Amino acid sequence: MTQIGTETVQDTMNGSGDDKPMIIAQDVEKWYDNNFHVLRGVSMTVTKGEVLVVMGPSGSGKSTFIRTFNALESYQKGKIFVDGILLSHDVKNIETIRQEVGMVFQQFNLFPHLSVLQNVMLAPIWVRRWPKARAEEVALQLLERVGILEQAKKFPGQLSGGQQQRVAIARALAMQPKIMLFDEPTSALDPEMVREVLDVMRSLADSGMTMVVVTHEVGFAREVADRVVLMADGLLVEEATPEVFFNSPTEERTKKFLSQIL
Amino acid sequence: MTTTFPPSSSAPPASNSGGLMAWLRKNLFNNWLNGILTVAISAMLVWVGMSFLEWAFTVAQWSVIPANWQLYFVGRYPNDQYWRLWAIFGLVAILSGLSWGILARNTAQLFTKTALICLGLLGVFGVIMPAPLTSRLLFLGAVILLAAAAWGGRQLGHSVAGIGRWISFAWIASFFVVMWLLAGGFGLESVSTGNWGGLLLTLFISVVSILLCFPMGVLLALGRQSSLPVVRLLSVLYIEIIRGVPLIAILFIGQNMIPLFLPQGMRPDNVYRAILGLTLFSAAYLAENVRGGLQAIPRGQMEAAHALGLNPALTTMLIILPQALKISIPAIVGQFISLFQDTTLLSIVSILELLGISRSILANPSFIGRYWEVYLFIGVIYWLFCYLMSIGSRRIEASLNTEH
Ligand SMILES: Nc1ncnc2c1ncn2[C@@H]1O[C@H](COP(=O)(O)OP(=O)(O)O)[C@@H](O)[C@H]1O
Ligand SMILES: [Mg+2]
């Protein structure tokens, strides 16, 4: 493993254009408290505007991996740079990095005591310190974009799963992040609601957002992804364009996984 | 006191048809054992009820209540300063009414059947209260103020944005006004706490202790969950030590030991020492109630807040605590009710709150042996306030419910 200094990475990151790397993971290793070796040396780069789909069997470490990108999980070895900033173990301004990285969870995790509109306005007001009027204007725009405008005054508990997940996307987008992480955003949804969420994600990808998506939705991966990676047992097994990944994968592990889900 | 069992889940939902006889048969006489129990228990209830009524109307000498009504309600508060207490009463009635109206601004009806019954009961109480006519009229006036303020609060709630914040400010400000009116100073004749007594003192001690122990309990609960080991250890130590000591011991320490440590001029008077003891005691229990709420919040809430860039303090203030407190409302109000009842222990350390003043009345030779009348009377008063608190708790819970 070659140690790359912060400066070198900084230089590459300053490169503009579509190939500017937004996330760099270098030989990331992580152990859970019970000494379970969950990430066993994962390296990966996501460039600006790219949509990366992460697939893999349950328990392979996908969630853990993408949660290291906004420091919801720590890691013990290797390096992760997000938008040029090293996520070290003692990073001071963890909140500053989290502002640049939006995350959408499998269980939506909306704040049930706040209305839909308040959910979306909360972080811009308290973290970005926007005036209320501006936060509300942006929030309403986003709610319109995800098709929930009429429900703005309702509470999350009064919405369907698909609607809640779209609110969660709007909530993350309200911070105007540079990167969006999705951890199985449609896995907790009834089948008839999967589509409305995927449509929102597709249009987000079309708008040029850098996205890392953990999902089992093969259709979405085929159409939207720039690259698909397979994660198994804490390692990245295969990395390819969707074309190659689904039609002619090289690794046995990938073939086995695809035979199980297709 | 029913003798029924829950219907088995396979049974169809009970229908309303069939009338009284069907209901009786289904609920009270559904087999011969239940039939016998029903008859036996009814007979006992009737007997107890008759005996009570007989006692209440023939044996009991209720004159002990009206003869001492001032002592019961305000203790030895000077007669010519009563207007200050009425002013407090009116102020609290107005603020309560406004808050009620504002909380209920989005409900279909302000004066629901329950609300009307409560107001009616207050009115009836005002009419039959064992007190001079002026007091009764003033009391009725306050009830009318309450209802009018509720109506006004509802209108304000619809027309003024952010009214909730104003009413909170008003409550905080009113606390200082109430203290001023009660204790005097700043142009008013001062009345020392030694002259406060009866229900007035019970309510004063309860309200101040509740206001103080609530924030303290919340901080202890957060401390117990803190990531800083020292804070966590201190919180756990405090909570576990206090919960291991009976309240009466804490009150005795407050009354008898604190004066030994402090110089003459600095000793807080015994009412404030009692408040200190009740506060320190209840805060530990409250902390455990709030901790229960904190633990019930799913991890995902904290993660979502962190992912948005909220720092730990904001996450606690805006996301975790509001939800945890909402869950804990019944337990917290339960703790407040206990605290209210625990004020009776203060009569043992010679504070003349409602129970203490009753004991001193019973010690008066002219009222010797009137235990039943006196204790029944104050028992009803205690029950009334506890019941009001539990109604209030259910009201607040309902108004905070966001899942329909
Ligand atoms: N907090 C934790 N402590 C210990 N083990 C964990 C913890 N979280 C997850 N794991 C384990 O780590 C493995 C990977 O989990 P996860 O990243 O959620 O996988 P995936 O998202 O691919 O299903 C699983 O075997 C899981 O049991
Ligand atoms: Mg997962």
Side-chain angles (χ1 to χ4, degrees):
Chain A
M1 167 187 146
T2 48
Q3 285 287 343
I4 301 180
T6 317
E7 299 77 23
T8 358
V9 174
Q10 214 71 45
D11 289 344
T12 35
M13 285 213 160
N14 287 339
S16 55
D18 276 353
D19 53 352
K20 176 188 172 195
M22 293 300 290
I23 301 174
I24 302 175
Q26 295 169 346
D27 295 304
V28 174
E29 291 190 60
K30 175 181 175 70
W31 287 260
Y32 273 118
D33 292 339
N34 53 3
N35 283 330
F36 177 64
H37 199 175
V38 56
L39 300 178
R40 303 191 294 155
V42 189
S43 299
M44 189 201 70
T45 303
V46 185
T47 55
K48 190 159 190 283
E50 191 182 24
V51 177
L52 178 81
V53 164
V54 181
M55 297 194 121
S58 146
S60 55
K62 308 180 294 294
S63 298
T64 309
F65 185 46
I66 73 163
R67 286 154 62 91
T68 58
F69 300 161
N70 63 352
L72 282 185
E73 299 285 358
S74 62
Y75 58 97
Q76 281 80 42
K77 271 193 179 170
K79 281 185 173 158
I80 297 177
F81 297 89
V82 173
D83 197 23
I85 303 168
L86 174 66
L87 295 190
S88 53
H89 321 289
D90 54 351
V91 58
K92 286 266 158 43
N93 259 332
I94 219 164
E95 281 86 21
T96 348
I97 294 159
R98 284 172 175 164
Q99 291 171 31
E100 311 304 328
V101 185
M103 184 155 204
V104 175
F105 301 85
Q106 182 175 350
Q107 301 297 341
F108 330 133
N109 295 351
L110 292 179
F111 306 131
H113 61 302
L114 301 176
S115 72
V116 164
L117 185 61
Q118 288 168 330
N119 262 276
V120 181
M121 288 166 58
L122 182 90
I125 288 178
W126 288 94
V127 181
R128 290 245 189 261
R129 301 253 157 225
W130 287 0
K132 197 167 167 245
R134 178 172 172 209
E136 180 163 341
E137 192 189 320
V138 170
L140 290 173
Q141 276 170 13
L142 283 168
L143 287 175
E144 182 166 21
R145 190 165 148 198
V146 300
I148 311 273
L149 193 55
E150 320 79 61
Q151 327 272 7
K153 290 271 182 289
K154 287 194 183 169
F155 285 89
Q158 298 165 292
L159 302 187
S160 74
Q163 291 173 325
Q164 290 193 48
Q165 194 60 298
R166 285 184 282 151
V167 174
I169 295 174
R171 179 178 69 176
L173 289 176
M175 287 296 287
Q176 307 192 320
K178 296 179 178 158
I179 303 164
M180 284 286 284
L181 309 174
F182 293 84
D183 190 359
E184 304 204 31
T186 57
S187 297
L189 296 178
D190 292 337
E192 76 271 19
M193 294 171 186
V194 169
R195 207 195 144 89
E196 62 192 55
V197 172
L198 291 181
D199 283 346
V200 169
M201 290 168 61
R202 189 173 291 124
S203 82
L204 189 60
D206 291 343
S207 76
M209 176 63 78
T210 310
M211 292 163 60
V212 180
V213 185
V214 176
T215 185
H216 298 298
E217 295 292 333
V218 175
F220 177 84
R222 272 185 200 275
E223 278 176 56
V224 184
D226 296 305
R227 263 186 310 150
V228 183
V229 298
L230 183 85
M231 189 155 193
D233 302 325
L235 290 169
L236 286 194
V237 175
E238 175 141 15
E239 177 177 335
T241 62
E243 194 93 325
V244 175
F245 186 92
F246 292 110
N247 298 334
S248 48
T250 44
E251 302 290 330
E252 275 308 310
R253 192 72 188 75
T254 314
K255 287 177 193 162
K256 189 175 151 220
F257 174 73
L258 288 176
S259 73
Q260 281 162 347
I261 65 162
L262 286 176
Chain B
M1 197 149 302
T2 64
T3 54
T4 56
F5 300 97
S8 73
S9 53
S10 60
S15 65
N16 298 335
S17 61
L20 181 65
M21 286 312 285
W23 184 89
L24 281 178
R25 179 164 309 159
K26 181 163 174 293
N27 289 293
L28 298 176
F29 297 96
N30 56 346
N31 63 39
W32 63 269
L33 177 64
N34 283 348
I36 290 176
L37 281 174
T38 302
V39 170
I41 290 169
S42 313
M44 218 168 78
L45 282 178
V46 168
W47 180 74
V48 169
M50 293 296 284
S51 323
F52 174 76
L53 287 178
E54 195 184 323
W55 171 81
F57 285 105
T58 60
V59 184
Q61 297 180 16
W62 293 105
S63 63
V64 62
I65 313 290
N68 295 295
W69 75 273
Q70 289 158 321
L71 287 178
Y72 285 118
F73 284 100
V74 299
R76 294 183 221 292
Y77 205 87
N79 227 310
D80 55 347
Q81 302 295 322
Y82 278 179
W83 65 269
R84 283 152 63 170
L85 303 180
W86 283 111
I88 293 173
F89 197 58
L91 180 67
V92 171
I94 291 176
L95 284 178
S96 311
L98 283 175
S99 310
W100 166 25
I102 290 167
L103 277 177
R105 66 181 177 277
N106 293 327
T107 52
Q109 222 186 339
L110 178 62
F111 296 110
T112 56
K113 214 196 286 173
T114 335
L116 284 176
I117 291 175
C118 288
L119 283 175
L121 283 177
L122 278 176
V124 170
F125 180 70
V127 172
I128 62 166
M129 195 162 61
L133 185 64
T134 42
S135 303
R136 285 192 264 175
L137 287 178
L138 283 167
F139 186 89
L140 283 178
V143 175
I144 293 168
L145 268 184
L146 175 80
W151 184 83
R154 189 176 160 96
Q155 309 305 317
L156 282 176
H158 285 304
S159 54
V160 183
I163 186 77
R165 193 169 307 162
W166 284 109
I167 199 76
S168 311
F169 279 134
W171 274 112
I172 294 169
S174 78
F175 179 76
F176 296 99
V177 176
V178 167
M179 280 306 294
W180 172 59
L181 285 169
L182 261 182
F186 304 105
L188 284 179
E189 186 184 318
S190 73
V191 180
S192 82
T193 57
N195 288 326
W196 309 0
L199 182 61
L200 172 71
L201 189 55
T202 294
L203 289 179
F204 177 76
I205 291 177
S206 311
V207 169
V208 175
S209 305
I210 285 173
L211 291 179
L212 292 177
C213 80
F214 179 68
M216 188 173 167
V218 170
L219 285 180
L220 281 169
L222 291 174
R224 193 164 187 168
Q225 310 255 304
S226 165
S227 52
L228 305 170
V230 182
V231 175
R232 201 167 55 227
L233 181 75
L234 289 177
S235 307
V236 172
L237 271 181
Y238 179 86
I239 292 169
E240 296 306 336
I241 288 176
I242 293 286
R243 294 208 312 156
V245 180
L247 174 59
I248 192 72
I250 293 178
L251 293 177
F252 271 124
I253 292 172
Q255 297 302 317
N256 302 323
M257 310 262 290
I258 289 182
L260 298 182
F261 298 129
L262 292 176
Q264 184 76 59
M266 283 179 55
R267 292 176 193 169
D269 72 52
N270 63 353
V271 167
Y272 290 112
R273 277 177 299 187
I275 288 176
L276 186 72
L278 280 169
T279 301
L280 296 181
F281 180 78
S282 302
Y285 287 84
L286 209 65
E288 288 298 278
N289 295 334
V290 175
R291 183 168 73 116
L294 288 173
Q295 283 173 338
I297 308 302
R299 242 191 105 67
Q301 290 291 306
M302 197 176 80
E303 289 174 351
H306 284 168
L308 286 167
L310 272 74
N311 61 33
L314 283 178
T315 303
T316 304
M317 287 296 300
L318 301 172
I319 306 300
I320 307 297
L321 207 50
Q323 295 186 58
L325 290 180
K326 187 176 131 186
I327 299 176
S328 328
I329 287 173
I332 290 174
V333 175
Q335 188 55 44
F336 290 167
I337 291 177
S338 299
L339 190 156
F340 179 72
Q341 296 173 344
D342 286 343
T343 57
T344 51
L345 284 176
L346 296 174
S347 65
I348 302 177
V349 290
S350 57
I351 288 179
L352 296 179
E353 43 66 69
L354 191 51
L355 183 62
I357 208 102
S358 304
R359 282 157 48 115
S360 77
I361 290 170
L362 287 169
N364 179 337
S366 29
F367 302 114
I368 228 99
R370 299 275 78 84
Y371 297 107
W372 281 97
E373 293 84 346
V374 168
Y375 287 139
L376 203 65
F377 174 64
I378 65 169
V380 169
I381 295 182
Y382 280 113
W383 172 80
L384 195 71
F385 279 94
C386 294
Y387 188 58
L388 281 179
M389 279 194 257
S390 84
I391 289 182
S393 125
R394 264 176 281 155
R395 274 283 154 118
I396 295 174
E397 259 184 285
S399 78
L400 290 179
N401 182 14
T402 55
E403 334 244 329
H404 296 280

